[in-house]
């Protein structure tokens, strides 16, 4: 299964009013549609986006976005205020968009969030157990989940790659050895 890689979604998440969101233009990029199509979907389905599903960026927030993120420079002279989608809003939008790309992107987003929840549960269990065998099993499971989320589809070569992630109370280390076919 091809998950949306963590970096492709993570780099689009910004914090507005203390809430992690993705702006409509970035959502459009993920779904490979025009931004106006995303906003039309919202406008045509207002009942599907109750409070907490999206935010309209205000003037001050728009100025701050332009100042802090180069990718939002196009907003500088725009009279339109962007829409920011929360995680719930992203899920709801996914039920509206009907293209094959939208369907695949939705599946990828859902699978990626599911992997993050699975990793969260494994790490939580790891911190609660003292049984060495259980800890080892949970560490291996966590490493596999992290690899699923972070690995990219590179050509196989004679190489060895090591990732280390230090999560304060534990460290995950995964080594991948690749050889030419």
């Amino acid at each position: 299964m091809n998950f949306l890689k963590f970096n492709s979604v993570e780099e689009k998440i910004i914090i507005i009013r203390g809430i992690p969101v993705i702006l409509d233009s970035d959502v459009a990029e993920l779904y490979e549609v025009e931004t106006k199509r995303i906003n039309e979907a919202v406008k045509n389905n207002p009942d599907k986006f109750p409070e907490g599903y999206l935010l309209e960026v205000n003037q001050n927030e728009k100025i701050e976005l332009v100042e802090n993120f180069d990718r939002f420079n196009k907003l500088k002279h725009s009279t339109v205020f962007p829409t920011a989608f929360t995680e719930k809003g992203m899920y709801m939008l996914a039920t509206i968009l009907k293209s094959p790309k939208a369907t695949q992107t939705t599946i990828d987003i859902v699978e990626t969030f599911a992997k993050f929840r699975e990793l969260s549960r494994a790490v939580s269990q790891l911190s609660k157990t003292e049984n060495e065998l259980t800890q080892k099993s949970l560490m291996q499971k966590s490493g596999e989940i992290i690899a699923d989320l972070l690995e990219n589809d590179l050509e196989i070569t004679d190489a060895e790659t090591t990732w280390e992630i230090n999560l304060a109370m534990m460290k995950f280390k995964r080594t991948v050895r690749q050889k030419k076919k």
Side-chain angles (χ1 to χ4, degrees):
M1 183 169 293
N2 292 339
F3 298 108
L4 270 178
K5 297 301 178 198
F6 176 72
N7 290 346
S8 65
V9 176
E10 188 263 344
E11 68 187 13
K12 296 186 183 324
I13 297 173
I14 58 174
I15 306 297
I16 295 180
R17 300 178 206 158
I19 302 168
V21 296
I22 301 178
L23 287 192
D24 52 7
S25 58
D26 287 338
V27 172
E29 186 178 319
L30 284 172
Y31 282 100
E32 295 181 2
V33 297
E34 296 177 34
T35 304
K36 68 180 181 179
R37 298 293 172 230
I38 298 295
N39 290 316
E40 284 172 359
V42 171
K43 184 179 176 184
N44 294 335
N45 298 277
D47 55 318
K48 293 191 175 193
F49 295 95
E51 187 174 329
Y53 281 60
L54 48 88
L55 309 168
E56 185 176 303
V57 174
N58 65 37
Q59 180 67 32
N60 291 334
E61 292 163 339
K62 181 177 151 184
I63 291 168
E64 191 174 327
L65 287 171
V66 171
E67 289 174 355
N68 293 310
F69 299 95
D70 289 339
R71 73 179 192 264
F72 298 130
N73 279 341
K74 61 189 174 218
L75 295 175
K76 190 173 191 172
H77 300 293
S78 173
T79 58
V80 177
F81 293 102
T83 301
F85 291 84
T86 65
E87 183 179 341
K88 292 177 190 177
M90 290 288 294
Y91 285 134
M92 189 55 73
L93 182 63
T95 67
I96 297 168
L97 300 175
K98 302 295 183 199
S99 74
K101 174 62 179 173
T103 300
Q104 187 57 52
T105 299
T106 299
I107 291 169
D108 291 343
I109 289 170
V110 169
E111 292 292 340
T112 301
F113 278 118
K115 284 288 182 186
F116 275 112
R117 282 190 291 278
E118 187 178 349
L119 177 60
S120 177
R121 283 191 299 270
V123 170
S124 177
Q125 288 175 337
L126 188 58
S127 67
K128 294 176 185 173
T129 187
E130 293 184 18
N131 181 304
E132 269 188 55
L133 190 58
T134 304
Q135 285 178 341
K136 187 175 180 177
S137 173
L138 288 169
M139 289 285 283
Q140 182 172 349
K141 181 179 181 178
S142 298
E144 290 168 2
I145 294 167
I146 290 168
D148 281 347
L149 290 168
L150 299 180
E151 284 183 352
N152 45 10
D153 301 322
L154 299 174
E155 281 187 39
I156 296 176
T157 61
D158 288 314
E160 182 174 300
T161 305
T162 301
W163 292 297
E164 286 190 27
I165 299 175
N166 191 344
L167 300 173
M169 66 181 166
M170 69 192 83
K171 183 175 9 177
F172 294 97
K173 182 176 180 180
R174 177 163 172 92
T175 301
V176 178
R177 290 178 183 85
Q178 301 172 327
K179 297 185 188 236
K180 280 188 175 178
K181 291 183 178 179

